[in-house]
Amino acid sequence: MTMHKPITAVVEQVAYGDLYVSDLNPRTVINPQGIEALAENIRELGLIQNLAGLRDETGKVGIVAGGRRLRALALLQDDPRFASVPVKIAPDQETAQMWATSENHQREQQHPADEIRDYGKMAARGVSVAAIAIAFGATEPHVYRRLKLAGLPDPILDALKSGEITLQNAAAFTVSEDEANSLAVLEKVRGEGYSDHQIKQMLKPDSVRDTDRRVIFVGREDYETNGGHVTRDLFAEQTFIDDVALLNDLFRCKLALTCDAITAKGWKWAEALDSTNLPYGEFDQRKLARIFPEKGTLTEEQAERYDELAELANGDVLDEAGEAELAELQAVLEETYSAEQKAVAGVIFYVNQTGEVQTYEGLVRKEDKAAAIEAGFLRKTSQSGGDAAPKSPISQKLSDDLSRIAQGARQHAVMRDPDLLIDLLAYQLSHELRSSGPLGITKTDVPNWPSTEAAGYSLDERLTSNPPRDMWDAKDLGASFRAFRKKGPEHVRGELVRFLAAQYRGGDEKLSALIDKETQPNIREVWTPNSENFFSRVGGPYLNNLWRDLLDLSEDHPTATNFAKLKKGEKAEKLEALFSGDADLRTALGVTEAQAVKIDVWLPEGME
């Protein structure tokens, strides 16, 4: 074995101005925040470890080990203690290069699990976050993030240290306050590659997020006032609502109160739907007729003044007094239901996905139609089985296309959870579910492969590319199968997952609802209504109503009347621009934040 002579090196006190970072120093990527934290550490604790460098021909010293410390010292030159610095001087360039390489190679980053424990111990002793940051040369936000994990049970941090779970996995465990459940979930996920989302689902299987429509409608404050428990996800800035039974009770109670508030306004009845939209054909199925509000009239003089003010408003030259006068005239024209109309009609409402109440007023039940006809609110139909309910503006062909898109959104969402798909496959194969199977898999027949034929419709490309190969003329399926397996288990699993997603159809109502809860399908994630796929396929009056509804306009508002005068193609283009997020158009229309949300989540009635 070759013996090396001990290196003779001296430590000299060198003026800071004679120091620079040598080209031999391997550290080239520097985090400015880390340098600032290190500078505070040195100011508080002093320079614990000397720099090392090589003196050049000019007498200055190039630092080969300690470049971060030198950069931190640059921020401390207001402190006379650091005007000169102790530096270990290398006797030659070969030694200096060895020092540079050795320090960089030997430097070991502290494992996050150990870092979390060290921070936690210091915090438990009452050491402030600022002091911990200084002691470790870290930033305060970094310390705060680590301290959020310090309360985790030891086995979880042990699993993090051993590499059985990731740091993101460990962070997912902070949503649980039940240690026994946390440890049970830990045993299931060790080394299995579960995502943090899946772990949260296991820890909180019966909870919902505070973005759930029921929570928004009830109000989180009311939920908590009534004793509801919440858990806050410290990393994802989410809150879990844990007492879903209480939430449902409060939701039903508020729906009942909403019914009472509606009938208190004179309506004969009010009914809440247990859905997030109005099901397709709801009025026809229930044989509901609909009456419409009565429109006010202006005198000839008022009408002339209204046209004059509206023209000024369209030209953006109407002053404040003129705006007030125009508003008064518009109020006269507002359509309102009379007390007599309300006495024979009612209201259906539902809470949509964003927690807002959507109402359909002026609905007449079968038993009230005779009174409505006698009062002149409905026309008597020639056939006894008929009613005055308006025909749906959405054709059956369009309805079928929308249903296909909605199913695609569910398949797109379920792709995010491969384990769920495989669990469903095992469940269906081991249970005789007949037509209620969640996957369209039979011995001889499967559903069509998903496609994105409609414009504005985009699915995960794994769903729409490489459909099943036609092996009808294959000469050797054994060789084909061997080649397939040689691609490895990851490829095989990927093929299984995407084909299962392509066959997913939901199953019965309760099973489908459970899958939707876990995968959170969002139709607007994969489909945006545009001129080609929707607006050109419905009538002009439908587009007029949609424009007014989205922008909260009365029928006689200038923006509404100008839109109504457009040709149908122009209306479709205008709505497409509105839905595509055209910033100039939204600004010109004065779209509010609430209206923008309404536009971004809107779906045609009955689309599921």
Side-chain angles (χ1 to χ4, degrees), residues 249-462:
D249 287 343
L250 295 173
F251 183 72
R252 286 190 290 267
C253 180
K254 190 163 183 180
L255 288 178
L257 291 174
T258 305
C259 284
D260 292 343
I262 291 171
T263 54
K265 294 180 179 178
W267 292 104
K268 184 174 182 179
W269 56 271
E271 179 183 339
L273 296 180
D274 185 19
S275 63
T276 59
N277 53 36
L278 182 70
Y280 175 74
E282 181 76 6
F283 294 167
D284 290 336
Q285 184 178 354
R286 297 172 59 171
K287 299 190 181 304
L288 294 173
R290 192 172 188 181
I291 59 178
F292 296 93
E294 298 175 342
K295 186 176 180 180
T297 57
L298 298 175
T299 65
E300 186 175 342
E301 182 180 347
Q302 286 175 321
E304 290 179 2
R305 181 57 176 162
Y306 177 85
D307 291 340
E308 179 184 342
L309 293 171
E311 186 175 345
L312 293 173
N314 287 332
D316 290 328
V317 292
L318 191 62
D319 59 20
E320 187 173 340
E323 289 177 356
E325 186 180 354
L326 179 60
E328 289 179 3
L329 293 174
Q330 286 175 338
V332 174
L333 290 172
E334 285 290 336
E335 295 180 338
T336 58
Y337 286 96
S338 67
E340 293 75 17
Q341 287 178 308
K342 291 181 179 181
V344 295
V347 177
I348 281 179
F349 70 94
Y350 61 86
V351 178
N352 67 14
Q353 292 175 328
T354 60
E356 298 175 325
V357 174
Q358 302 292 319
T359 60
Y360 290 85
E361 300 176 333
L363 303 176
V364 181
R365 289 173 170 168
K366 184 177 180 180
E367 59 268 28
D368 295 317
K369 287 181 181 177
I373 292 171
E374 185 177 351
F377 304 139
L378 285 177
R379 288 181 301 170
K380 187 173 183 179
T381 55
S382 58
Q383 297 180 4
S384 58
D387 60 57
K391 183 179 178 181
S392 172
I394 296 179
S395 68
Q396 187 60 50
K397 177 64 170 65
L398 176 55
S399 178
D400 291 342
D401 288 346
L402 296 178
S403 295
R404 177 178 60 82
I405 289 168
Q407 178 62 17
R410 287 187 166 86
Q411 293 169 321
H412 177 91
V414 82
M415 280 287 291
R416 293 192 281 256
D417 198 337
D419 292 316
L420 174 63
L421 280 167
I422 294 172
D423 289 347
L424 284 172
L425 174 63
Y427 174 69
Q428 181 164 333
L429 291 177
S430 61
H431 296 69
E432 185 58 59
L433 302 179
R434 296 181 176 85
S435 63
S436 294
L439 302 167
I441 295 176
T442 67
K443 292 181 179 179
T444 59
D445 187 28
V446 295
N448 293 330
W449 190 257
S451 65
T452 52
E453 297 169 1
Y457 178 39
S458 175
L459 299 177
D460 188 311
E461 64 177 8
R462 290 172 293 175

Side-chain angles (χ1 to χ4, degrees), residues 70-81:
L70 181 62
R71 290 178 174 91
L73 288 166
L75 305 177
L76 301 174
Q77 291 309 297
D78 58 337
D79 190 329
R81 291 180 297 159

